Amino acid sequence: MKENIFNDEHFFEEYKKIREKEVNFNNAIEQPAMQKLIPDLNGKKALDLGCGYGYNCIDFINRGVEKVLGIDIAEKMLDVAKSECAHPNIEYRLMSISDISKTDIKEMKFDFVYSSLAFHYVEDFKKLCEDIFYILNNEGVLLFSQESPFITASPKIGGYNRDENGNLISYTFSNYSACGPREENWLDTDYIKYHRTFGKIITDLAQSGFAVKEVCEPMPREEAVKKCPSMAGQFIRPNFLIVKAEKIKKGT
Amino acid sequence: MKENIFNDEHFFEEYKKIREKEVNFNNAIEQPAMQKLIPDLNGKKALDLGCGYGYNCIDFINRGVEKVLGIDIAEKMLDVAKSECAHPNIEYRLMSISDISKTDIKEMKFDFVYSSLAFHYVEDFKKLCEDIFYILNNEGVLLFSQESPFITASPKIGGYNRDENGNLISYTFSNYSACGPREENWLDTDYIKYHRTFGKIITDLAQSGFAVKEVCEPMPREEAVKKCPSMAGQFIRPNFLIVKAEKIKKGT
């Protein structure tokens, strides 16, 4: 049970099926909200933490970025990235997000650090914030999404409740207040993710020097809910938490 | 059903009984966390929004504050404040938090704006943030507590769940994602409070110019839970959200 579940053969195949659906939670909810928050990247240097298939790295190239470094812990996903999303200005590296301060990445400087749905696999969020702050240029932007604390709180206790007609009516959870590891099972695969309260996430960012600019808990549009009715549950409680933060040195 | 429930005779008497308990949610959870976040007030000017009995205004005097203005919409509470917490450097005024920009308060400048458990009665949070930003001196601090969005989301749907032995095991809620008014009944009194998501609270502060420094969802200590076992529910989900933010003008 480690953060490299995306290397698991069974998980990888099942996950691919979800991502290939016409309407899924990523392309209907998380990605549209993330896209809106991406700053002007023209001539900038970007780092994608947990780049997966490399789709976002290519998107950054299309937005005029000068150079992208995409890192991921799952070789299987990087294989897809390298064959489907190759570009002379993109470098893909096999490594863990937790290790950026142990490599030469520590000496590189970026204007934009992006991460889609990977941070809840990282154990030490405060250290991650500090690492990212260190490698960002002044006025650089961090944009990340993660599973909402509503979900990470208690993967094995609670869930949605329905009325006698099968309509979603409420959501039950537990253990919100204790940050730490949670055992999860998704697509028949066991793994560990890390729960953090809203308070810890924002405070860790602030104490690392970031100015938090926007916190978004994105909702699906009506058309998406029609095609995928389970998305109605988002109005009861969101799946995703998105944070945009800026490195601003006081006095500059 | 307005924000001045604290003027309701029955509510006022019942509320007083709660606040007089040796261990209550305010003195065991909310206030200790708020106290820790109060900045150095020596020689400063402070504004207490929803000052109630005036306890915090007196505390600020004891911390060396130069002048305090306490406002509240409930005459009954201000009567207590004026008789029990009078001081030559404290002024108490009967008025709504929503009206600060309509009075001469708009022209005053403060170093510290404090509010304990009042903001969830204010309809327009963005305007409130802008009003407070305007009246704060540069590097001034806003510290407020409010009911957690977990609670404001659906006052009439859900609540704690217990196992067959009566132990608290989880919490159920609904309608988190839609910000807006919620009808509530507390101590046999109906009133309206306003639900806002974590995302909206932090984003409104940031977009009003504040640097959010700390977000705290405070927990009770073990001794308090022993004296008041229902406080164990706080570990499942917190009652309170506390935010500390600073007015920092870029480039200064």
Side-chain angles (χ1 to χ4, degrees):
Chain A
M1 296 211 284
K2 261 220 69 180
E3 55 178 294
N4 54 353
I5 44 162
F6 290 92
N7 253 352
D8 181 279
E9 187 76 39
H10 169 76
F11 183 91
F12 183 76
E13 291 305 322
E14 293 300 312
Y15 178 78
K16 225 164 64 176
K17 286 181 205 160
I18 291 180
R19 290 300 289 255
E20 282 162 2
K21 278 187 190 165
E22 187 201 340
V23 176
N24 61 47
F25 279 64
N26 295 77
N27 67 23
I29 305 174
E30 186 253 357
Q31 274 300 307
M34 289 286 270
Q35 297 281 325
K36 276 190 198 157
L37 293 172
I38 294 175
D40 177 19
L41 294 182
N42 207 33
K44 302 288 174 72
K45 288 195 174 64
L47 173 63
D48 186 350
L49 298 174
C51 63
Y53 296 147
Y55 294 164
N56 292 110
C57 294
I58 282 291
D59 175 53
F60 303 156
I61 292 289
N62 293 336
R63 289 169 183 264
V65 92
E66 188 188 296
K67 189 161 170 51
V68 190
L69 175 59
I71 72 167
D72 206 287
I73 202 173
E75 202 162 6
K76 283 181 190 300
M77 303 203 81
L78 282 187
D79 287 346
V80 177
K82 285 174 188 169
S83 71
E84 291 182 17
C85 294
H87 187 279
N89 297 338
I90 302 177
E91 179 192 353
Y92 292 111
R93 279 202 209 177
L94 181 69
M95 60 176 283
S96 163
I97 295 174
S98 306
D99 290 339
I100 53 176
S101 66
K102 295 178 194 160
T103 70
D104 63 324
I105 294 177
K106 201 189 169 186
E107 307 311 323
M108 298 180 190
K109 290 287 168 188
F110 298 91
D111 306 294
F112 182 51
V113 174
Y114 175 94
S115 182
S116 169
L117 300 173
F119 283 4
H120 48 270
Y121 300 116
V122 176
E123 184 170 6
D124 191 341
F125 184 68
K126 182 75 192 292
K127 182 178 180 298
L128 177 61
C129 294
E130 291 164 354
D131 286 351
I132 295 170
F133 190 83
Y134 185 86
I135 61 176
L136 271 174
N137 285 318
N138 200 19
E139 304 203 335
V141 169
L142 164 64
L143 174 63
F144 71 91
S145 64
Q146 63 154 74
E147 282 189 3
S148 167
F150 289 116
I151 296 185
T152 56
S154 61
K156 292 185 176 176
I157 301 173
Y160 284 113
N161 308 297
R162 292 174 186 270
D163 65 14
E164 60 268 27
N165 301 316
N167 300 310
L168 294 165
I169 50 167
S170 62
Y171 185 78
T172 298
F173 71 102
S174 191
N175 298 337
Y176 171 80
S177 301
C179 297
R182 300 289 193 271
E183 286 182 25
E184 171 69 291
N185 181 290
W186 188 34
L187 307 174
D188 290 326
T189 308
D190 288 322
Y191 61 99
I192 296 282
K193 61 186 178 189
Y194 295 92
H195 169 66
R196 289 177 272 269
T197 60
F198 288 98
K200 177 168 169 60
I201 292 166
I202 304 301
T203 305
D204 279 355
L205 284 162
Q207 291 185 349
S208 303
F210 281 104
V212 175
K213 306 307 264 185
E214 190 145 349
V215 176
C216 170
E217 294 161 281
M219 291 293 111
R221 279 168 308 168
E222 215 175 298
E223 315 91 80
V225 180
K226 269 182 199 155
K227 286 183 185 163
C228 179
S230 71
M231 282 185 189
Q234 295 298 296
F235 302 113
I236 292 171
R237 71 104 184 91
N239 266 46
F240 304 111
L241 177 70
I242 295 174
V243 180
K244 184 176 182 174
E246 203 177 329
K247 174 172 178 167
I248 298 176
K249 276 203 180 145
K250 216 175 147 181
T252 56
Chain B
M1 295 211 284
K2 262 218 67 179
E3 57 177 294
N4 55 353
I5 43 164
F6 290 92
N7 253 353
D8 180 279
E9 186 77 39
H10 169 75
F11 182 92
F12 183 76
E13 292 305 321
E14 293 301 310
Y15 178 79
K16 224 165 64 176
K17 284 181 206 159
I18 291 179
R19 291 299 291 254
E20 283 163 1
K21 277 188 190 166
E22 187 200 340
V23 176
N24 61 48
F25 280 63
N26 295 77
N27 67 23
I29 305 174
E30 187 253 357
Q31 275 300 307
M34 288 286 270
Q35 297 280 326
K36 274 188 200 161
L37 293 172
I38 295 175
D40 177 19
L41 295 182
N42 208 32
K44 301 288 173 72
K45 288 195 173 63
L47 172 63
D48 186 351
L49 298 173
C51 64
Y53 297 146
Y55 295 164
N56 293 110
C57 295
I58 282 290
D59 175 52
F60 303 157
I61 292 289
N62 293 336
R63 288 168 184 264
V65 91
E66 189 188 297
K67 189 162 169 52
V68 189
L69 174 59
I71 71 167
D72 207 287
I73 202 174
E75 203 163 5
K76 282 181 189 304
M77 303 203 82
L78 282 186
D79 287 346
V80 176
K82 285 174 188 168
S83 71
E84 290 183 16
C85 294
H87 188 279
N89 297 338
I90 302 177
E91 179 192 353
Y92 292 110
R93 280 202 209 178
L94 181 69
M95 61 176 284
S96 164
I97 295 173
S98 305
D99 291 339
I100 52 176
S101 66
K102 297 178 192 158
T103 69
D104 64 325
I105 293 176
K106 201 188 169 188
E107 307 312 322
M108 298 179 190
K109 290 287 169 190
F110 297 91
D111 306 294
F112 181 52
V113 174
Y114 174 94
S115 183
S116 169
L117 299 174
F119 283 4
H120 48 269
Y121 300 115
V122 177
E123 184 170 6
D124 191 341
F125 184 68
K126 182 75 191 290
K127 182 178 180 299
L128 177 62
C129 293
E130 290 164 355
D131 287 351
I132 296 169
F133 191 84
Y134 186 86
I135 60 175
L136 271 176
N137 286 318
N138 200 18
E139 304 203 337
V141 169
L142 165 64
L143 175 64
F144 71 91
S145 63
Q146 63 155 73
E147 282 189 5
S148 168
F150 289 115
I151 296 185
T152 57
S154 61
K156 292 185 175 177
I157 301 173
Y160 284 112
N161 308 297
R162 291 174 187 271
D163 65 13
E164 59 270 26
N165 300 317
N167 300 311
L168 294 166
I169 50 167
S170 61
Y171 185 77
T172 298
F173 70 102
S174 190
N175 298 336
Y176 171 79
S177 300
C179 297
R182 300 290 192 271
E183 286 183 23
E184 172 68 291
N185 181 290
W186 188 33
L187 307 174
D188 291 326
T189 307
D190 288 320
Y191 61 98
I192 296 283
K193 61 186 176 188
Y194 295 91
H195 169 64
R196 289 177 272 269
T197 60
F198 287 97
K200 178 168 168 60
I201 292 166
I202 304 302
T203 304
D204 279 355
L205 285 162
Q207 291 184 348
S208 304
F210 280 103
V212 175
K213 305 307 265 185
E214 191 145 349
V215 176
C216 169
E217 295 162 280
M219 291 294 110
R221 278 169 307 169
E222 215 176 296
E223 314 92 81
V225 180
K226 269 183 199 155
K227 286 183 185 163
C228 179
S230 70
M231 282 184 190
Q234 297 297 296
F235 302 112
I236 292 172
R237 71 103 185 91
N239 266 47
F240 304 111
L241 177 70
I242 295 175
V243 180
K244 184 175 183 174
E246 202 176 331
K247 174 173 178 166
I248 299 176
K249 277 201 179 146
K250 216 175 146 182
T252 58

